Amino acid sequence: MFLTITTTGTPERPATDLGFLLHKHPEKAQAFSTSYGTAHVLYPEADARRCTAALLLEVDAVALVRRGKGKGRGGAPDAALAQYVNDRPYAASSLLAVALSAVFSSAMRGVCNARPERAAQPLPLRIEVPALPARGGPELVRHLFEPLGWTVTVEPVALDTEFPEWGDSRYVRLVLEGEDRTLAEALRHLYVLLPVLDDAKHYWVASDEVDKLLRAGEGWLPDHPEQKLITSRYLSRRWSLTREAMERLELVRLAEADDSEVEDIDNAVGAETETEEKPTPLAVQRRDAIIAALSASGAARVLDLGCGQGQLVQALLKDPRFTEIVGVDVSMRALTIASRRLKLDRMGERQASRVKLFQGSLAYTDNRLKGYDAAVLSEVVEHLDLPRLPALEYAVFGAARPRTVLVTTPNVEYNVRWESLPAGHVRHGDHRFEWTREEFRTWAHTVAERHGYGVEFVAVGPDDPEVGPPTQMAVFTMNSNATEKEAKAA
């Protein structure tokens, strides 16, 4: 079972950066144990102009049978001989997809501390899979990969070259080429679509497979024309899981479609009275309030947690007082858009040294977030389920512990001022809640007391005497005694 990934480069951006992105050194051949054999990573070629990484998976057929308890495709018992004599050691399948995920896990998440800017940039890529089962034929292969922006070459493999009259087998040779995909996106495409084309998995599909599918399909699966087929096959045609996945994908699609509606709502703030002067959009007022609070705090090194598509990072870069700006988001799609917005690939060296983008979840502690002057959570907390807020609270206030933390969130009381927002609706389809002013203040005071911070509140946007401002901001400042204790501990 074999797969190669090739990229090209220049002396300024050498192709051997692929080794950094995959976290596998081009000058070494490495082996990794898996549940069903051994995965080898090697580089047939590696120089500044062209670099190829190969993944070779040696499958232990006996281990596959024993761990699979003798069950074959679809869970039906195989004939005794067929358990040991089959295509599993040779043809790309869920075995290779799992090996990709295990061996290149950091690359699949878009994480690369050594070359973070490269991880977020599209690369010229050529991916070759010499033997791929394709239940649906070459046409289905094209229908799956071409909507993702790949140039697809798919060649059927003859059953027997000496007897061409026997026709083609169900296997194909696949080559994917493209220049507008990041490596992480490419790996996630393969992780999902290899087992989809094989239409079988070597392990029992449980409910956690839905989460795996949605993580790997982020940014491309909700709008894929073959979404239903992909979902059904990936989940081994288990109807209950397929239905759950389709419902969650539809929510994602609606949330993304609602982005423009939210921007319209933001832009409507201040437009209640007729005036010739165009009102300042709420999104701009929010960024201005954040920058003013950061400047007042004296912060130079700033984290934008949940940076989305990089609007705040872009605004901070214009102010020389901020010497280091780090954007963090769980979505690789958002980080890719942020990278393009910031034009990182064309940015001067001095300016580029001030900004970093990397993927991370705010539900987990992350040592990369420690040591910064300030952190911003702009319109982030309301996108989390309430039971997950304590995890975010500890990750930011308990573990990272910047001196200043800014949190902005919608004020649900202000929603009645928008005629375009139906009664009882939140401002965005992905908002899990929206707080009143009292609820936000209660939460903020509890967090501050628990972690040694003081907190003040700032109104963002027009402060209505009855319902308050459209956006509420909490400015957390670490208490001086807590700062002294941490300085002594350091």
Side-chain angles (χ1 to χ4, degrees), residues 76-124:
D78 281 336
L81 181 61
Q83 294 183 36
Y84 298 94
V85 182
N86 52 52
D87 66 355
R88 286 313 195 206
Y90 313 106
S93 63
S94 59
L95 286 162
L96 185 59
V98 170
L100 275 172
S101 177
V103 176
F104 300 138
S105 59
S106 295
M108 191 173 291
R109 298 195 311 272
V111 175
C112 180
N113 293 336
R115 297 286 191 276
E117 73 286 351
R118 292 286 271 162
Q121 292 170 356
L123 297 175

Side-chain angles (χ1 to χ4, degrees), residues 14 19 77 95 100 184 223 270 316 323 356 435 475 477:
L95 286 162
L100 275 172
D223 296 317
L316 292 173
T323 58
K356 296 177 184 175
W435 275 326
V475 180
T477 305

Side-chain angles (χ1 to χ4, degrees), residues 400-437:
R401 296 192 64 75
R403 292 201 310 269
T404 301
V405 181
L406 309 182
V407 180
T408 75
T409 192
N411 168 23
V412 70
E413 297 168 84
Y414 193 90
N415 289 357
V416 297
R417 292 291 185 259
W418 282 316
E419 295 180 2
S420 60
L421 188 65
H425 282 231
V426 293
R427 299 184 199 178
H428 190 289
D430 188 52
H431 285 186
R432 309 306 169 88
F433 62 88
E434 287 179 356
W435 275 326
T436 64
R437 288 168 290 172

Side-chain angles (χ1 to χ4, degrees), residues 17-80:
D17 280 353
L18 182 64
F20 288 103
L21 300 180
L22 293 173
H23 297 259
K24 304 293 179 289
H25 200 290
E27 295 182 5
K28 298 180 181 178
Q30 296 175 267
F32 304 87
S33 296
T34 72
S35 301
Y36 303 99
T38 304
H40 301 269
V41 178
L42 57 150
Y43 289 78
E45 55 182 344
D47 57 42
R49 299 184 65 84
R50 184 179 172 90
C51 185
T52 298
L55 176 64
L56 172 65
L57 181 61
E58 291 184 297
V59 176
D60 184 338
V62 175
L64 184 61
V65 172
R66 287 175 178 171
R67 292 179 66 88
K69 299 181 181 179
K71 296 295 182 180
R73 193 178 305 279
D78 281 336

Side-chain angles (χ1 to χ4, degrees), residues 435-456:
W435 275 326
T436 64
R437 288 168 290 172
E438 183 61 30
E439 288 170 333
F440 181 53
R441 287 170 180 261
T442 299
W443 173 81
H445 282 302
T446 302
V447 171
E449 183 177 355
R450 182 178 295 136
H451 296 285
Y453 285 78
V455 62
E456 297 179 350

